[in-house]
Amino acid sequence: MANSEKERLATEVEDRWVDFQRALSNKRTYPVEQFQAFWDAGKRYAELTRNDPLIHRKVVAAINGLREFLEVERKRVPGTIIADADRLESMLFSGYDPYFEGDEPPGL
């Protein structure tokens, strides 16, 4: 894996995180689009670094404790946002995706 690609994705995750936090200042609507852009960047980073023992510090800062941050930041958070936050933390820190879309065990 190219270090520059890892660095570029880490910067993208950080940029999308900042965009999402800015969008949270609007208390009328939840910034689902900005969260989705952040989540997509985080997922790409997690997939790229799945077997890499080193994770970029700015990515860790953005994703560590994400679910708790989202729950505390607003009283009402769309359920899919909380589920996606759990999924992203699992993909980055545990190295697996707990979502089975297309990979369900036989019989489900």
Side-chain angles (χ1 to χ4, degrees), residues 51-65:
N51 296 320
D52 193 344
L54 300 176
I55 301 172
H56 203 288
R57 185 178 308 222
K58 51 188 160 185
V59 175
V60 171
I63 297 177
N64 188 35

Side-chain angles (χ1 to χ4, degrees), residues 39-91:
W39 191 87
D40 289 338
K43 181 180 179 200
R44 284 192 306 275
Y45 185 87
E47 289 170 348
L48 180 70
T49 61
R50 175 175 285 156
N51 296 320
D52 193 344
L54 300 176
I55 301 172
H56 203 288
R57 185 178 308 222
K58 51 188 160 185
V59 175
V60 171
I63 297 177
N64 188 35
L66 180 61
R67 178 196 176 112
E68 291 80 10
F69 168 79
L70 296 173
E71 289 177 332
V72 169
E73 202 282 325
R74 293 263 178 105
K75 289 181 183 178
R76 296 168 62 183
V77 179
T80 57
I81 301 290
I82 297 297
D84 284 345
D86 280 340
R87 183 177 173 199
L88 185 57
E89 285 185 273
S90 178
M91 287 188 308

Side-chain angles (χ1 to χ4, degrees), residues 8-51:
R8 185 190 67 75
L9 279 175
T11 300
E12 183 180 351
V13 169
E14 182 182 40
D15 291 345
R16 298 297 154 254
W17 175 242
V18 170
D19 292 343
F20 174 64
Q21 287 183 314
R22 279 193 200 127
L24 282 171
S25 65
N26 178 1
K27 298 296 181 186
R28 292 181 171 256
T29 60
Y30 200 85
V32 175
E33 295 82 20
Q34 288 84 357
F35 178 81
Q36 191 62 42
F38 165 67
W39 191 87
D40 289 338
K43 181 180 179 200
R44 284 192 306 275
Y45 185 87
E47 289 170 348
L48 180 70
T49 61
R50 175 175 285 156
N51 296 320

